Amino acid sequence: MSQEKLGECLGLTFQQVQKYERGANRVGASRLFDLSRVLDVRVGYFFEEISDTAQAASPV
């Protein structure tokens, strides 16, 4: 899916989608939920390959 199409589905511009992809903007819980619905994946999909280092650095 293109950034432009994803942006359309989320009500965003493709520039905003690019900022999320690059990590310039943080993805909040509601936006993550929206992304999962548009991409037809579980929210947990985005965390499946998170490294042990990142998990250890995350607050409990």
Side-chain angles (χ1 to χ4, degrees):
M1 177 179 292
S2 71
Q3 290 175 337
E4 187 173 354
K5 178 66 177 168
L6 182 58
E8 287 175 17
C9 292
L10 295 169
L12 303 170
T13 65
F14 80 91
Q15 290 95 338
Q16 289 170 302
V17 173
Q18 285 178 327
K19 287 181 181 181
Y20 284 128
E21 187 173 329
R22 285 193 324 255
N25 287 353
R26 297 185 107 179
V27 179
S30 62
R31 182 70 68 206
L32 190 63
F33 179 76
D34 293 341
L35 282 164
S36 72
R37 292 192 66 182
V38 169
L39 298 173
D40 195 28
V41 297
R42 299 176 302 105
V43 172
Y45 167 83
F46 299 109
F47 302 98
E48 287 177 354
E49 294 185 21
I50 193 168
S51 69
D52 292 336
T53 305
Q55 286 182 6
S58 179
V60 177

